[in-house]
Amino acid sequence: SQQGEEDPQALSIQEGENATMNCSYKTSINNLQWYRQNSGRGLVHLILIRSNEREKHSGRLRVTLDTSKKSSSLLITASRAADTASYFCATLVRGGSEKLVFGKGTKLTVNP
Amino acid sequence: GEEVAQTPKHLVRGEGQKAKLYCAPIKGHSYVFWYQQVLKNEFKFLISFQNENVFDETGMPKERFSAKCLPNSPCSLEIQATKLEDSAVYFCASSQVPGVYEQYFGPGTRLTVT
């Protein structure tokens, strides 16, 4: 079953602008991960944030995690046309199987 | 290898036929996962392995789906008597320690059941 819910479902911006995607989840987690999927391709891991972390950076990516609100956000700064893809959050649920539970994704289009 | 490899890339089967998908995890990763992505982009967990042992099979439709990870062989996911609703992209992922490290995904196998 889907735990994460991304918001918005689709986002269209101009090159150079920032893109923010949000993810909400329902149960206690061990960690939360963000993945990118280009059309028709596999998943590329972007960032993993653990439940005891609040913010993490990687290049132009910034991820926040608020466990009290059960939500996370992914910010892509100074977006590029090559960032056009679908972005998924996935949670590793605490205390059980090591499987990832995915959200439905945000489709990001960056217009040149 | 340093990437998860999946074969074949595409597979077309008539309804009722068997389908078998393969996955070679990254060397040194002891956990393997299978996920199914259907047309609306939703990912569904199927099964996971720790080495050759089934770790979690709660997502598997057991009557038609089976999977194995044997030593020195690619892992496999087999669907007996495929149905139209099995059409999806099947992803394999591997990880060293899932609670600590990320899962690395293969490029997927697109199964089309006609």
Side-chain angles (χ1 to χ4, degrees):
Chain A
S1 62
Q2 294 292 327
Q3 159 147 270
E5 292 287 338
E6 279 93 338
D7 164 47
Q9 288 189 337
L11 180 61
S12 183
I13 60 174
Q14 294 301 121
E15 220 169 11
E17 292 181 337
N18 296 341
T20 299
M21 289 159 267
N22 302 297
C23 165
S24 60
Y25 58 91
K26 295 174 186 170
T27 62
S28 293
I29 61 170
N30 186 314
N31 64 54
L32 185 145
Q33 304 178 36
W34 284 91
Y35 287 84
R36 182 184 75 222
Q37 185 179 36
N38 290 76
S39 181
R41 306 289 295 276
L43 289 167
V44 174
H45 184 266
L46 297 176
I47 249 182
L48 181 154
I49 186 164
R50 296 189 168 81
S51 59
N52 61 353
E53 297 176 310
R54 293 294 166 258
E55 190 170 311
K56 209 158 181 183
H57 296 254
S58 176
R60 294 183 295 113
L61 306 180
R62 174 179 167 251
V63 167
T64 62
L65 179 65
D66 186 336
T67 52
S68 66
K69 294 181 180 177
K70 291 187 167 59
S71 68
S72 173
S73 68
L74 169 68
L75 168 68
I76 304 174
T77 60
S79 63
R80 304 167 183 168
D83 295 329
T84 295
S86 290
Y87 291 82
F88 293 88
C89 71
T91 52
L92 195 74
V93 175
R94 182 181 296 282
S97 162
E98 307 295 345
K99 68 186 179 191
L100 290 175
V101 180
F102 283 85
K104 294 179 182 177
T106 292
K107 187 170 171 59
L108 172 67
T109 302
V110 180
N111 302 299
Chain B
E2 291 301 314
E3 292 182 341
V4 176
Q6 287 188 250
T7 56
K9 201 169 179 178
H10 301 281
L11 192 57
V12 180
R13 288 288 180 265
E15 214 174 356
Q17 291 185 319
K18 185 171 74 175
K20 196 163 185 178
L21 292 62
Y22 296 92
C23 166
I26 292 173
K27 198 174 179 182
H29 285 192
S30 53
Y31 286 83
V32 171
F33 302 81
W34 285 97
Y35 297 90
Q36 179 195 54
Q37 185 181 27
V38 293
L39 285 176
K40 289 190 175 180
N41 278 342
E42 294 187 9
F43 285 87
K44 180 189 171 188
F45 166 78
L46 295 175
I47 191 169
S48 60
F49 289 84
Q50 184 182 13
N51 298 310
E52 63 267 25
N53 304 307
V54 174
F55 192 68
D56 180 354
E57 58 182 348
T58 53
M60 286 283 269
K62 289 185 188 173
E63 60 278 4
R64 296 186 298 110
F65 284 57
S66 63
K68 292 179 188 175
C69 274
L70 300 175
N72 302 314
S73 294
C75 297
S76 63
L77 175 69
E78 190 166 2
I79 309 172
Q80 301 283 346
T82 52
K83 296 183 177 180
L84 295 175
E85 69 221 40
D86 298 331
S87 293
V89 182
Y90 292 81
F91 288 100
C92 172
S94 71
S95 179
Q96 288 178 290
V97 181
V100 177
Y101 300 106
E102 58 268 34
Q103 294 183 21
Y104 290 86
F105 281 75
T109 291
R110 180 176 294 277
L111 172 66
T112 302
V113 180
T114 62

